[in-house]
């Protein structure tokens, strides 16, 4: 069994094919200390290489998804320690996960918590969710994507406002500005997120991975490069058994049975 201190790892869904990571430091509003992020990285590596897992959900509790990086832990960091220890490196595991990753956010998603949610592929929120990048209020700036990913999902004026004021954004506004896909009553959030994960997990895992990679290329390259990559990856789909099965199932008017080959 896994011996995690700061998270809970399980499988859920009707077919037990959804990996579920629950951040579990409730007394500190799930503040993201180094140990917690290392455990998240380990859990993600494990789920990513588990062929029975089709999609992954990350969540917190009703009060907090995560109220940010652990301020008490980093308060006395020096520049030399940050550079020497490669501070934040363990966070890159989240954005390099190949399987579809969905954040279910109830309560606070602030600072590193908001950035962790934005590293996921899709964000669903509970009605009481609060997003924000309050780093500026404590003399730092976002350090795990807050100045980079936010602008790509909500545009410059809103991103600047969030980063420069530290103001919190409620779930309804977050949905309006495109930061989250859907909002649910708090007690329905996890169930609805798992349903979404199950829908995605019913596709071919190979096709999911290719589609995810293509969408991410759009954030990281020019349109011309992205379109070229997409077209070639589209061609590559025809090398899979799952493409043959998917199209045969359509023609034969039956449900496809993907084998991830
Ligand atoms: N770090 C450490 N402890 C925290 C954090 C945090 N980010 N947030 C809350 N806690 C602790 C509190 O200290 C308190 O502990 P204790 O009971 O021992 O005093 C406990 O959690 C409960 O918190 P509050 O009593 O403050 O709860 P309230 O309901 O009154 O307030 C708030 C909730 C508004 C969320 C408030 O806790 C708050 O403002 N938290 C800090 C939010 C913040 O500034 N986040 C940004 C942190 S900086 C950051 O994330 C940088 C990211 C850079 C990349 C990642 C680096 C690893």
């Amino acid at each position: 069994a896994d011996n995690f201190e700061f998270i809970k790892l399980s499988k859920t869904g009707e077919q037990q094919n959804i990996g579920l990571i629950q951040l579990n430091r409730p007394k500190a509003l799930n503040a993201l200390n180094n140990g917690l992020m290392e455990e998240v990285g380990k859990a993600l590596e494990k789920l990513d290489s588990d062929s029975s897992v089709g999609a992954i959900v990350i969540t917190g509790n009703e009060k907090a998804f995560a109220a940010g990086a652990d301020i008490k832990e980093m308060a006395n960091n020096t520049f030399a320690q940050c550079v020497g220890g490669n501070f934040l490196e363990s966070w890159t595991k989240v954005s390099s996960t190949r399987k579809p990753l969905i954040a279910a956010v109830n309560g606070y998603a602030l600072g590193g918590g908001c950035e962790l949610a934005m590293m996921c592929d899709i964000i669903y929120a509970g009605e009481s969710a609060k997003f924000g990048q309050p780093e500026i209020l404590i003399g730092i700036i976002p350090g795990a994507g807050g100045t980079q990913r936010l602008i790509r999902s909500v545009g410059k004026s809103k991103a600047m406002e969030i980063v420069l004021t530290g103001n919190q954004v409620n779930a309804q506004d977050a949905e309006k500005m495109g930061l989250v896909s859907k909002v649910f009553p708090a007690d329905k959030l996890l169930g609805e997120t798992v349903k979404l994960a199950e829908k995605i997990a019913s596709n071919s895992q190979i096709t999911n991975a290719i589609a995810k990679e293509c969408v991410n290329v759009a954030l990281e390259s020019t349109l011309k490069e992205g379109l070229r990559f997409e077209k070639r990856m589209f061609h590559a789909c025809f090398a899979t058994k799952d493409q043959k099965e998917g199209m045969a199932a359509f023609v034969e008017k039956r449900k496809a049975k993907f084998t991830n080959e």
Side-chain angles (χ1 to χ4, degrees):
D2 300 299
N3 235 342
F4 290 124
E5 184 182 352
F6 303 114
I7 66 170
K8 287 184 188 164
L9 173 61
S10 59
K11 288 192 199 167
T12 186
E14 249 166 55
Q15 297 178 41
Q16 294 291 296
N17 63 342
I18 307 303
L20 177 63
I21 296 175
Q22 190 185 4
L23 309 180
N24 188 33
R25 260 193 102 192
K27 284 192 186 131
L29 301 182
N30 290 335
L32 306 162
N33 60 8
N34 291 327
L36 186 151
M37 286 312 295
E38 264 164 38
E39 289 184 4
V40 168
K42 274 188 198 141
L44 285 173
E45 268 175 17
K46 190 164 172 183
L47 294 171
D48 225 5
S49 59
D50 180 340
S51 61
S52 74
V53 170
I56 304 166
V57 172
I58 300 189
T59 195
N61 56 50
E62 291 252 325
K63 179 121 201 257
F65 178 72
D70 190 316
I71 299 170
K72 293 167 190 166
E73 188 181 67
M74 70 182 149
N76 292 317
N77 274 6
T78 62
F79 177 72
Q81 284 167 338
C82 287
V83 175
N86 212 355
F87 185 38
L88 297 191
E89 182 53 28
S90 60
W91 290 53
T92 54
K93 296 252 171 62
V94 182
S95 46
S96 62
T97 300
R98 285 163 295 127
K99 287 190 181 153
L101 189 55
I102 309 162
V105 175
N106 265 325
Y108 295 111
L110 302 178
C114 187
E115 294 172 308
L116 176 61
M118 288 193 292
M119 286 178 193
C120 297
D121 302 311
I122 299 171
I123 307 177
Y124 272 10
E127 276 163 359
S128 67
K130 294 208 178 347
F131 297 86
Q133 299 289 161
E135 285 90 341
I136 201 92
L137 305 175
I138 55 170
I140 55 170
I141 65 161
T147 68
Q148 301 300 301
R149 289 198 176 91
L150 195 56
I151 189 171
R152 286 166 165 83
S153 72
V154 307
K156 177 175 163 180
S157 181
K158 285 187 160 45
M160 281 289 190
E161 195 176 340
I162 291 166
V163 169
L164 293 177
T165 64
N167 287 347
Q168 294 175 9
V169 174
N170 67 32
Q172 291 70 27
D173 288 344
E175 183 184 14
K176 242 188 280 166
M177 62 176 76
L179 180 59
V180 315
S181 303
K182 280 190 184 145
V183 177
F184 299 96
D187 60 336
K188 298 272 183 308
L189 173 68
L190 187 57
E192 292 293 335
T193 308
V194 170
K195 259 193 242 165
L196 170 72
E198 286 181 298
K199 165 90 171 95
I200 292 170
S202 71
N203 303 326
S204 161
Q205 287 185 21
I206 309 177
T207 328
N208 274 342
I210 293 174
K212 171 171 170 166
E213 191 177 356
C214 283
V215 173
N216 279 331
V217 164
L219 292 177
E220 293 159 4
S221 66
T222 61
L223 179 60
K224 192 176 169 195
E225 275 309 307
L227 289 171
R228 184 157 63 165
F229 184 72
E230 179 196 61
K231 181 152 20 90
R232 191 63 79 221
M233 292 316 285
F234 173 78
H235 294 159
C237 291
F238 288 82
T240 67
K241 281 189 186 161
D242 284 339
Q243 173 268 325
K244 298 289 173 290
E245 165 61 13
M247 292 194 182
F250 175 82
V251 173
E252 292 161 20
K253 298 187 188 300
R254 60 175 175 83
K255 203 169 175 297
K257 271 194 74 177
F258 294 120
T259 54
N260 307 320
E261 291 168 279

